[in-house]
């Protein structure tokens, strides 16, 4: 059975943008982010993170660092009986310093590759799914995938989400 999904950009939407967050000690939830995820879980939405992580290509940190942050996020969410179903990230960048990741990739937003990958792995109902991001590249990825994208510009994430799902 297909389910609606919400795709979240990570830095600047779920956690405070501090420039290449890769250490748990630098991770700080944005107000209402955890509650927004729990709200979606309770409404039977699939919840995904789709995040460009060019810091890997730039040799600022490793894929393992990204995976550890994502595990930390879900361990924090578990404390309030919430979860992100899966994290998708793109380590690629055409101007990277690490030759293993220095290239253009369909997985890097604004391309829809991460969203398409999620669709191959999960029963996503695209017509009732959407993306929340803080950059034009996020909204372009949503458009390229054929779903709505919403520009988050600050404030409580749960309040922002409720304006989308409960407009009246």
């Amino acid at each position: 059975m297909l389910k609606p999904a919400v795709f979240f950009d990570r830095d600047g939407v779920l956690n405070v943008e501090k420039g290449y967050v890769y250490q748990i000690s630098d991770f700080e939830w944005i107000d209402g982010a955890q509650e927004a995820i729990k709200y979606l879980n309770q409404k039977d939405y699939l919840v995904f993170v789709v995040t460009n992580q060019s810091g890997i290509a730039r040799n600022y940190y490793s894929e393992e660092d990204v995976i550890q942050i994502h595990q930390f996020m879900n361990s924090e969410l578990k404390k309030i009986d919430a979860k992100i179903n899966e994290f998708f990230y793109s380590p690629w960048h055409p101007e990277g310093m690490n030759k293993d990741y220095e290239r253009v990739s369909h997985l890097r937003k604004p391309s829809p590759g991460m969203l398409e990958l999620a669709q191959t792995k999960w029963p996503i109902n695209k017509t009732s799914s959407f993306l929340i991001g803080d950059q034009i590249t996020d909204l372009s990825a949503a458009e390229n995938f054929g779903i709505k994208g919403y520009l988050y510009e600050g404030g409580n994430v749960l309040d922002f989400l409720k304006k989308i799902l409960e407009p009246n």
Side-chain angles (χ1 to χ4, degrees), residues 10-48:
R10 194 189 83 186
D11 301 323
V13 177
L14 296 178
N15 62 279
V16 176
E17 173 64 67
K18 297 180 180 179
Y20 301 105
V21 172
Y22 68 95
Q23 295 178 318
I24 292 169
S25 60
D26 292 332
F27 186 91
E28 180 184 347
W29 289 100
I30 290 179
D31 287 342
Q34 293 177 82
E35 295 81 4
I37 293 163
K38 182 173 180 155
Y39 175 84
L40 290 167
N41 293 160
Q42 291 170 336
K43 292 207 168 285
D44 209 24
Y45 276 76
L46 295 168
V47 179
F48 303 110

Side-chain angles (χ1 to χ4, degrees), residues 42-97:
Q42 291 170 336
K43 292 207 168 285
D44 209 24
Y45 276 76
L46 295 168
V47 179
F48 303 110
V49 167
V50 288
T51 178
N52 286 344
Q53 291 295 318
S54 70
I56 296 167
R58 299 172 195 270
N59 280 333
Y60 296 163
Y61 50 87
S62 69
E63 284 195 66
E64 184 58 37
D65 292 324
V66 172
I67 291 165
Q68 285 179 356
I69 285 264
H70 293 165
Q71 289 171 341
F72 168 77
M73 289 172 70
N74 256 346
S75 69
E76 290 292 297
L77 289 166
K78 187 175 183 179
K79 294 175 185 176
I80 62 165
D81 198 29
K83 70 176 179 187
I84 292 166
N85 293 95
E86 191 165 350
F87 295 84
F88 297 92
Y89 65 93
S90 172
W92 317 104
H93 194 279
E95 298 167 18
M97 307 292 271

Side-chain angles (χ1 to χ4, degrees), residues 112-168:
M114 288 186 279
L115 291 84
E116 292 170 349
L117 183 57
Q119 188 178 29
T120 67
K121 298 173 80 174
W122 294 87
I124 296 170
N125 179 346
K126 276 178 65 171
T127 59
S128 53
S129 297
F130 58 93
L131 178 145
I132 297 175
D134 66 335
Q135 304 288 328
I136 296 303
T137 51
D138 298 319
L139 303 187
S140 296
E143 183 179 348
N144 292 334
F145 184 60
I147 62 173
K148 288 184 179 176
Y150 295 93
L151 185 64
Y152 170 79
E153 297 180 289
N156 185 290
V157 179
L158 179 60
D159 293 343
F160 183 82
L161 178 66
K162 284 185 174 181
K163 286 179 186 167
I164 295 167
L165 293 176
E166 303 170 13
N168 294 329

